Amino acid sequence: MTIEELESYFNSVKLPDGPVQLNPSHKIIDVQLFVNSHLSRLAGKVFRLDPISKPVYNRLIELHDFLESY
């Protein structure tokens, strides 16, 4: 999934108001803030992500997958 596709997805989906437990060690308290901060970190990046941006991208994908199964 490209960064543009992630931006489009998160702009079109209703985000949960409360906390989200993605996995046993990762809880998102403010989902909107999480998405905004992660997307801004990736702004202007090409699909081939650098080693620092890759975990940010992976967390957005994990949230995407969680919301799709929600």
Side-chain angles (χ1 to χ4, degrees):
M1 182 171 255
T2 67
I3 295 166
E4 291 79 16
E5 289 170 326
L6 282 171
E7 288 176 321
S8 178
Y9 173 78
F10 286 115
N11 285 328
S12 67
V13 69
K14 170 136 175 54
L15 298 174
D17 293 324
V20 170
Q21 188 78 42
L22 285 184
N23 57 51
S25 63
H26 197 168
K27 184 176 189 176
I28 302 169
I29 303 298
D30 186 330
V31 179
Q32 185 67 58
L33 179 62
F34 174 90
V35 169
N36 290 345
S37 67
H38 279 55
L39 286 175
S40 69
R41 172 68 178 99
L42 298 177
K45 300 282 183 184
V46 294
F47 187 68
R48 180 169 265 175
L49 299 167
D50 60 66
I52 294 171
S53 298
K54 187 70 172 171
V56 173
Y57 173 81
N58 289 341
R59 285 190 296 270
L60 284 172
I61 292 295
E62 190 174 4
L63 177 59
H64 168 274
D65 294 345
F66 174 86
L67 293 175
E68 285 297 298
S69 66
Y70 184 64

